[in-house]
Amino acid sequence: SLRAHILRGGAYLAGRELAGMVVRLGGVLALTRLLGPEDFGLYAGPAALATFLGLVAQWGTEVFLIRREHEPPARLYDETFTFLLATTTVVTLGALAISFIVEWVAGPNPFLAPFRVLLLAVPLNALWAPAQARIERAFRFREMAVLELGGDVVLYGVSLALVLAGAGLWGPVTGYVAWQLFLLVASYRYARLVPRPHVSGERLRELLHFGFSYSAADWLQ
């Protein structure tokens, strides 16, 4: 029944959030202790900026697909994926160019090297949006819980393993990229989607208009 489905979904979400809090808190405390405040800060700052850029590159596409009245056809998922290929390219290359301009103006900065590597995760962060939208439209709470908790485990598992192996700052940087790669691959597997390039001028205008309205409202909050 719908009631049982909602209750079961709520239990999955509550369990996921509780387990995720434990993993994240333990992971952050362990990384801070092993790396020290300075190196952890050199990871955390660029990671926060890379996460923000990933949200910018998504351009509200996940919400765009979730809000459709009827289940979107495969072609719409393909058009959205293709649109995201373009937005992630613009955002990633733009941020990379700005980092070199900043270095040229202000001189070398230890923040920039990890930031440039973390830019690799920006396309990964955005491109899983169509797959996650399909999963969320189907109320597949179990898969959503596995994705989020599994991502946390990959992030901190890889990070801590590499730090213990002597990688230092590059441990969590690599862990962050591995986390986003896991989300990309696992999301499309659970969604049973194989994205294919497909360009539509009409869809491009619709996505640009929706994304601008949604993103502007979100950033102003």
Side-chain angles (χ1 to χ4, degrees):
S1 67
L2 178 60
R3 181 174 181 274
H5 186 68
I6 292 174
L7 289 173
R8 185 168 59 252
Y12 274 125
L13 293 175
R16 174 199 73 190
E17 190 59 31
L18 179 60
M21 287 175 60
V22 172
V23 173
R24 289 190 293 271
L25 179 60
V28 169
L29 290 175
L31 282 176
T32 305
R33 183 176 180 83
L34 289 170
L35 288 174
E38 182 177 353
D39 276 355
F40 183 78
L42 286 175
Y43 153 72
L49 185 52
T51 300
F52 172 74
L53 291 173
L55 292 174
V56 172
Q58 278 193 29
W59 202 245
T61 50
E62 185 174 355
V63 177
F64 171 82
L65 291 169
I66 291 173
R67 288 185 181 178
R68 308 295 286 191
E69 184 177 355
H70 303 291
E71 171 61 26
R75 178 172 174 172
L76 180 54
Y77 285 108
D78 291 342
E79 290 167 344
T80 305
F81 180 84
T82 307
F83 174 79
L84 287 172
L85 286 175
T87 61
T88 56
T89 299
V90 171
V91 170
T92 302
L93 294 180
L96 184 62
I98 291 172
S99 76
F100 282 104
I101 293 172
V102 169
E103 185 175 38
W104 178 67
V105 172
N109 190 307
F111 176 97
L112 294 175
F115 173 68
R116 287 167 182 160
V117 175
L118 285 167
L119 285 176
L120 295 172
V122 171
L124 305 178
N125 189 314
L127 288 171
W128 50 251
Q132 289 230 350
R134 190 176 196 183
I135 294 169
E136 292 188 36
R137 284 187 63 94
F139 300 105
R140 293 164 61 187
F141 298 106
R142 180 177 178 275
E143 286 84 350
M144 290 161 59
V146 171
L147 283 170
E148 294 207 12
L149 184 57
D152 290 335
V153 171
V154 169
L155 169 60
Y156 292 107
V158 172
S159 298
L160 290 170
L162 290 175
V163 170
L164 290 171
L169 164 67
W170 300 105
V173 170
T174 305
Y176 186 99
V177 177
W179 168 40
Q180 294 301 319
L181 181 60
F182 166 81
L183 288 177
L184 178 67
V185 174
S187 295
Y188 277 96
R189 181 182 177 188
Y190 279 134
R192 300 181 183 89
L193 276 177
V194 180
R196 297 177 177 84
H198 199 289
V199 179
S200 165
E202 179 183 357
R203 193 69 64 204
L204 173 63
R205 290 188 293 273
E206 186 179 5
L207 285 165
L208 284 171
H209 180 267
F210 177 87
F212 179 78
S213 302
Y214 173 81
S215 300
D218 189 50
W219 296 340
L220 289 173
Q221 290 180 354

